Every structure is written in C-alpha cells, then in structure tokens.
Amino acid sequence: MDNITVKFGGSSLADAAQFRKVADIIKADSARKYVVASAPGKRRSADTKVTDMLYAMYGRAEIGEDFNAILDQIEQRYMSIIDELELDFDLEPEIEAIRYRMASSPERDYAASRGEYLNAKILAMYLGFAFLDPAECILFDRSGKLLSEETNERLAAKLVDNPYTVIPGFYGADGDGNIVTFSRGGSDITGSLVARATKAEIYENWTDVSGILTADPRIAADAKVIEYISYRELRELSYMGASVLHEDAVFPAKKAGIPINIRNTNAPADKGTMIVSSVAEGTRGHVTGLAGKKGFSSVRLEKTMMNNEIGFGEKLLAIFRRHDIPFEHMPTGIDSICVIVNTDRLHSCRSEVLLEIEQQLSPDSLTIEDDLALIAVVGQGMSRTKGIAARIFSALASAGINIRMIDQGSGEMNIIVGIDSSRYEEAVRALSTALF
Ligand code: ASP
C-alpha cells in the first residue's frame, strides 16, 4: 500500500498521551501521507469537548457577554498538549486572533472551526508534516452546501504533490471566505474528501472503538465487530441510529471506490471494520447488523374499497408534506394504510393533521398509536436467504414481544419491525443473540 488517508477523531487527539499514540500509528507506515484531525474530544466521560467549549464561547460573545474565561480554558487544553509534547508552538498569537474576532465580529462557524484548526497545526508540528487550511480548498456555496467537484479539484491541486500534510477536519469556506462547518462529527467528511482527492487506496478512520458492531453494545453486551460491511448497509444502519461514522462521509469515498477502515487508536492491532462497495458472497453471514430508534407514531386509516380510489395515498402524503413531516414507512393493506412518522415531528400539528385527513379522505376509522420503536435488521444477502425472517420473528416471539409492524425495505436488504418502545432494549438483545 502506498497512499493512505488517515483521520483521527476527537478522543484520539484529546491529550498529549493520545497524540503520542497517533504519531506512532502514522509513523508506523509511510503510506499514511494525509492526516485529517478533529478537535480535542473528551479525555474522560465527564470531560467537555473543545468544540462544545467553542460553541459556548460563541454563545456569550454573540450577546456581548464576557467570553474570556472560556477562551482561557480552551487555551489551557492546548497548552497542556503543547507542554507535555515539549513543542515550540507559539499559541499566544493564535488565541489573541480568536479573542479579537470574537470581540469584533463573532461568527458561529468560525468559532467552532478553531478547534480542529489549532489541533491540526499542533499535530503538524509534532509530526514534522506540512499544514493545509481547508478554508482554501473545501468550498461551500452561500447557502452552506458543499461544492463537491470544485472541492475535489482544489484539494487535489494542493495535496497530490505535497504528501505528509495535516488538514483540519470539519470546515471549509464559502466564496466570500467565510468559514463554514459541516454538521457535528463532520471531520469524517473531510477525511473522505481528502481520500477521494488524493486517490487514496484506503481511508482509515481512527476512533475509540474497534469497528462497527452488530448491535448497540450499550444494550447488547454480546455485540460483535463487523469485519466487512457495504456502504449501503452502513447507510441503512446509520439512518437507524448506529453512529460510528458521519452519515455523509460515505459519499466521496464511495464515489471513488475507496474502502473506509474504522480503526481503534487505543487498540491499533485490531483490524476494525472495512466498509466496501460490495461484500463478496460467502465471506460472512447474511445478516450484517441491526440498529433501531424509539419515538415513532403510526397513523392508521381504514376505508373500504380504498384500493380502488386512485390518488388516495398521494392525498394522504400531501397532508404530511404540508406540515413538513417526513414519513419513514408506509405499510399498506387492501382497505388500510399506515404512515409511520417521527412522534416529535407530529407533535405541534397533530390535531390539524387528523382533521385534514378526516375532511379530505373520509376514512372509516383513523387512529394514531404512539410509543413505537423501529428496529432494522440489515444484510445484503438477506432477501435471497431462507429462514432469516423466521429467526427474527421467533426471537421476538420467544421473548414475548409483540410485533406491531413489519416492513421489508424496498432495497431488499433490511427487515424493519415496529414494537412497543418499552420493549426496545429487550428486543435488541433477543435479536442480537439470535442473529449474530
Ligand atoms: N469537532 C467536531 C465535533 O465535535 C467535528 C468532529 O469532531 O468531527 O462535532
């Protein structure tokens, strides 16, 4: 292997001891040419991420309150890294530049971006690598949308002939030079963009877990590391709540066919999870993982001869659209239809939605059931394999859990079950034991 992009998350760069581990990993393989850095994360569970401190600082600056105490704490976080690593890094002018901007024209994204900016600068010095500010090459339009092709060209122009460079994650700039950040966790996207632009053979995403697990380990203690997963499977799991990688980080790497390897900075010998375009048949079981979420409601209509009424579904969905409520699933029967939506989204307009359905569609019955949890069982080979649905349903039946809804995703690689929220954890445990 000759060209690898590596990204280190906040916990991997939270203090000097973590910086040392990161440097060991990078120096262990000269192919690790491009390094994307997050801001310092939590050193222990009760700690605060530097990004959160920066948002808090901005919150005060924005309303003209004194933000200096928070900035001093941020300075201390970086100073302890610099001192312990015995670096000759002049932090003072950097902190004063932030103080000046916060006092004169505070901007939220600028403030948040300083976490990765400073961490990447310090890391570059520690490694003896060059530093590239993404404000010069990760480009957004004025509405905050990433300009992916322009970004790809600019990044390639800056990086291809300059290996051994550190790039701060999480931000870029718009055409006026204003800093724009991705959503939280967005350094993963930066890593993917850099991997694509430099035609990396692999994008290593280093974090604090040894890969993506078959189920949420906080609930299912027997969850196992997934060795191989496809981009599409990962997207299904991420959508349903599995959160190892930022959802949007998959796209640039996928476009360029670059595998993403999730690795553990604290256990570098672990192989982690490999995210690839497709997983060859026979290399693993047919069920890859499961993930779920609570907090859904099911709006259910019954109407005799509904199936003959052309446009019925369209009229129903238009009501949800007018209230800006996206729907998750829509299981239908001959005389009934169910729309599954997020309960919070329905909250503010519940009675209007019901009234409009009554008035426009005159159903024979209309009910809303809340406290629904959805669990998606995901696996590329699932739809062609006998017996998986049976295993899912019998695991839930043996645990005495009633299934309120079943939906086989149209992508044919997931089965979604809706159950009572109060049984969610039990259901995840039962499925994890039965399937993996
Ligand atoms: N530091 C940012 C955050 O906490 C971005 C990142 O770490 O990816 O969300």
Side-chain angles (χ1 to χ4, degrees):
M1 199 97 49
D2 165 62
N3 182 14
I4 300 174
T5 291
V6 288
K7 178 259 167 179
F8 290 90
S11 58
S12 300
L13 291 166
D15 60 18
Q18 292 299 89
F19 264 67
R20 288 197 187 94
K21 290 184 197 168
V22 164
D24 286 346
I25 291 166
I26 294 168
K27 297 284 157 114
D29 189 343
S30 60
R32 296 189 171 119
K33 290 179 179 160
Y34 301 101
V35 180
V36 173
S38 276
K42 293 184 178 191
R43 293 160 293 184
R44 60 197 99 78
S45 56
D47 203 9
T48 310
K49 290 181 178 186
V50 164
T51 308
D52 290 319
M53 295 163 92
L54 289 161
Y55 280 126
M57 172 185 77
Y58 166 78
R60 296 189 71 88
E62 187 201 10
I63 51 170
E65 288 202 358
D66 187 1
F67 57 85
N68 288 297
I70 307 181
L71 185 54
D72 291 347
Q73 284 169 22
I74 294 167
E75 184 176 9
Q76 275 317 309
R77 285 287 306 260
Y78 288 109
M79 242 8 258
S80 67
I81 296 172
I82 292 166
D83 285 347
E84 266 188 65
L85 297 178
E86 297 179 10
L87 295 174
D88 184 19
F89 188 96
D90 196 2
L91 187 62
E92 198 52 34
E94 301 284 3
I95 296 291
E96 286 321 308
I98 298 172
R99 203 183 306 280
Y100 178 77
R101 274 289 289 273
M102 284 297 113
S104 52
S105 53
E107 275 164 36
R108 191 168 191 270
D109 284 5
Y110 165 81
S113 72
R114 296 304 88 185
E116 347 297 287
Y117 169 83
L118 287 174
N119 226 24
K121 273 206 147 175
I122 296 167
L123 182 63
M125 178 181 266
Y126 185 49
L127 295 169
F129 280 22
F131 170 83
L132 175 67
D133 191 337
E136 297 170 33
C137 41
I138 294 192
L139 308 173
F140 292 85
D141 68 13
R142 287 196 178 79
S143 70
K145 187 170 161 284
L146 176 72
L147 298 168
S148 51
E149 297 315 305
E150 287 89 329
T151 293
N152 192 47
E153 279 164 32
R154 285 267 196 115
L155 274 175
K158 294 272 184 193
L159 289 173
V160 170
D161 294 327
N162 295 300
Y164 307 111
T165 295
V166 182
I167 306 111
F170 191 37
Y171 75 94
D174 67 16
D176 297 327
N178 298 313
I179 297 288
V180 180
T181 63
F182 292 111
S183 58
R184 297 299 303 265
S187 299
D188 287 338
I189 307 171
T190 310
S192 193
L193 292 169
V194 168
R196 179 183 170 208
T198 59
K199 299 193 167 46
E201 286 148 285
I202 190 161
Y203 166 27
E204 292 178 350
N205 187 294
W206 291 81
T207 172
D208 52 8
V209 286
S210 288
I212 299 165
L213 299 181
T214 48
D216 184 342
R218 290 165 302 183
I219 302 173
D222 60 358
K224 297 176 185 65
V225 171
I226 300 171
E227 246 184 286
Y228 287 92
I229 185 170
S230 70
Y231 301 121
R232 286 181 61 208
E233 289 172 323
L234 177 68
R235 203 163 145 60
E236 298 278 349
L237 289 178
S238 306
Y239 183 73
M240 287 302 283
S243 63
V244 178
L245 191 71
H246 190 294
E247 256 194 282
D248 296 340
V250 162
F251 299 115
K254 183 177 172 200
K255 193 162 198 158
I258 301 165
I260 306 173
N261 188 194
I262 307 290
R263 299 284 294 266
N264 188 349
T265 302
N266 305 318
D270 291 355
K271 287 209 222 109
T273 297
M274 202 56 115
I275 309 163
V276 292
S277 319
S278 68
V279 182
E281 288 276 332
T283 37
R284 48 135 217 224
H286 296 287
V287 187
T288 306
L290 64 89
K293 280 189 203 166
K294 294 182 186 176
F296 294 95
S297 299
S298 136
V299 180
R300 187 181 149 77
L301 289 77
E302 289 205 19
K303 189 172 185 185
T304 315
M305 304 297 282
M306 177 200 289
N307 64 328
N308 287 339
E309 233 180 276
I310 292 174
F312 192 89
E314 189 183 340
K315 281 189 215 148
L316 177 60
L317 290 181
I319 296 172
F320 288 97
R321 192 189 60 211
R322 268 198 298 284
H323 291 277
D324 203 22
I325 304 171
F327 76 98
E328 303 289 327
H329 299 282
M330 197 172 58
T332 52
I334 308 172
D335 292 332
S336 67
I337 190 164
C338 219
V339 184
I340 312 284
V341 295
N342 192 299
T343 310
D344 287 343
R345 297 293 288 261
L346 190 63
H347 183 70
S348 58
C349 49
R350 205 175 166 103
S351 37
E352 288 98 307
V353 168
L354 289 182
L355 189 68
E356 284 172 39
I357 294 176
E358 288 285 6
Q359 285 172 346
Q360 293 173 32
L361 297 165
S362 320
D364 300 336
S365 76
L366 172 62
T367 44
I368 299 192
E369 282 184 43
D370 296 321
D371 298 320
L372 185 70
L374 299 179
I375 300 179
V377 177
V378 175
Q380 208 150 270
M382 249 165 59
S383 62
R384 276 171 277 112
T385 314
K386 292 184 219 78
I388 291 180
R391 272 157 72 200
I392 295 172
F393 303 143
S394 70
L396 293 173
S398 316
I401 297 167
N402 178 40
I403 300 175
R404 285 169 49 185
M405 183 211 83
I406 301 166
D407 192 8
Q408 171 156 23
S410 57
E412 294 190 348
M413 61 168 167
N414 55 19
I415 292 177
I416 294 147
V417 291
I419 52 161
D420 274 346
S421 286
S422 61
R423 310 295 302 273
Y424 175 71
E425 283 79 9
E426 271 175 273
V428 168
R429 279 192 284 274
L431 288 172
S432 171
T433 309
L435 297 171
F436 307 114

